Amino acid sequence: AQKITQTQPGMFVQEKEAVTLDCTYDTSDQSYGLFWYKQPSSGEMIFLIYQGSYDQQNATEGRYSLNFQKARKSANLVISASQLGDSAMYFCAGHRGSTLGRLYFGRGTQLTVWP
Amino acid sequence: DAEITQSPRHKITETGRQVTLACHQTWNHNNMFWYRQDLGHGLRLIHYSYGVQDTNKGEVSDGYSVSRSNTEDLPLTLESAASSQTSVYFCASSESPKNTEAFFGQGTRLTVV
């Protein structure tokens, strides 16, 4: 299995500031992938960003970037220039290369952006 | 546009009843998954399928079953609903072997009374 740990139950950030949401993972696989999903209060799961274990560069998608530190087994999400609409639950998830598509989720971090 | 839809979105049922939650995707993805979401646990995998006639147990499969008779659908059945199965259920699909993104349905909120 793959264990995903999110140690921050809640985070607060002021609008326009950057925020980092922590995620660590534990796997013995060489091939794996890491995801971040956003879940707003409406409940849907929105894919944000993906990082493969063999990717040479950190993934970026608009205001989202993934700070991937393989040796430390961390895959932190960085949101630059926070917006009020970023307030949501954020989940880190991982999959193993040997188990196609099965995702293991962390418990989530509730992000609140204040004006 | 391709999509993945779950029905119903909300359901209340009584303990002991059989309940089936539907999941339909038009992505033509081989991989389909059912997760449940509970406070303090994130999402946990119930069952999954890598193709027609293929089904596998996830980490919390007791009391649930699935069947895959075509590519588009993976219905989840609660054989005899229990209060512990009150949860939000998510269906997801992904393309094989490219798994850089899993697409999620809108979720089904199930209450067992």
Side-chain angles (χ1 to χ4, degrees):
Chain A
Q2 183 181 64
K3 185 176 180 181
I4 303 293
T5 303
Q6 295 179 255
T7 58
Q8 305 156 316
M11 288 285 286
F12 294 85
V13 65
Q14 190 170 23
E15 196 177 12
K16 299 181 185 178
E17 297 293 312
V19 63
T20 298
L21 306 184
D22 293 343
C23 173
T24 59
Y25 60 92
D26 184 15
T27 180
S28 56
D29 287 40
Q30 295 300 309
S31 174
Y32 53 88
L34 296 153
F35 300 76
W36 279 91
Y37 284 86
K38 173 184 178 181
Q39 186 178 45
S41 58
S42 53
E44 70 267 32
M45 296 291 287
I46 302 169
F47 166 77
L48 294 179
I49 198 167
Y50 169 83
Q51 179 84 41
S53 58
Y54 293 119
D55 293 342
Q56 295 298 312
Q57 295 185 332
N58 286 346
T60 60
E61 291 286 348
R63 294 186 298 111
Y64 305 107
S65 61
L66 200 152
N67 184 1
F68 182 48
Q69 298 187 43
K70 204 169 183 177
R72 300 179 65 178
K73 293 193 174 181
S74 71
N76 298 338
L77 177 70
V78 180
I79 305 174
S80 62
S82 298
Q83 302 172 356
L84 296 178
D86 293 335
S87 293
M89 181 71 84
Y90 289 80
F91 290 98
C92 181
H95 83 86
R96 301 163 61 192
S98 57
T99 53
L100 298 173
R102 289 185 60 180
L103 293 178
Y104 301 86
F105 283 83
R107 295 188 176 186
T109 296
Q110 180 69 47
L111 177 66
T112 302
V113 181
W114 49 284
Chain B
D1 286 345
E3 61 181 2
I4 179 167
T5 55
Q6 294 182 229
S7 61
R9 294 292 310 279
H10 302 272
K11 186 168 181 65
I12 301 174
T13 190
E14 294 178 342
T15 301
R17 289 190 177 267
Q18 185 181 77
V19 177
T20 296
L21 309 181
C23 175
H24 179 82
Q25 54 98 1
T26 58
W27 295 100
N28 202 34
H29 286 163
N30 287 323
N31 303 339
M32 295 186 72
F33 309 86
W34 274 104
Y35 296 89
R36 61 177 287 175
Q37 182 178 21
D38 304 290
L39 283 174
H41 289 281
L43 280 74
R44 292 179 292 174
L45 183 64
I46 305 172
H47 281 286
Y48 59 102
S49 169
Y50 288 150
V52 176
Q53 302 300 329
D54 176 75
T55 61
N56 305 279
K57 293 181 178 180
E59 56 184 313
V60 290
S61 60
D62 287 349
Y64 303 94
S65 64
V66 294
S67 61
R68 187 90 179 269
S69 58
N70 58 56
T71 300
E72 295 80 17
D73 299 289
L74 187 70
L76 177 71
T77 298
L78 286 69
E79 302 294 344
S80 176
S83 58
S84 61
Q85 294 176 309
T86 293
S87 187
V88 178
Y89 291 85
F90 285 96
C91 180
S93 70
S94 67
E95 185 179 350
S96 174
K98 183 180 179 183
N99 291 295
T100 57
E101 181 175 351
F103 297 87
F104 281 81
Q106 296 287 82
T108 294
R109 183 174 296 276
L110 176 69
T111 303
V112 182
V113 298

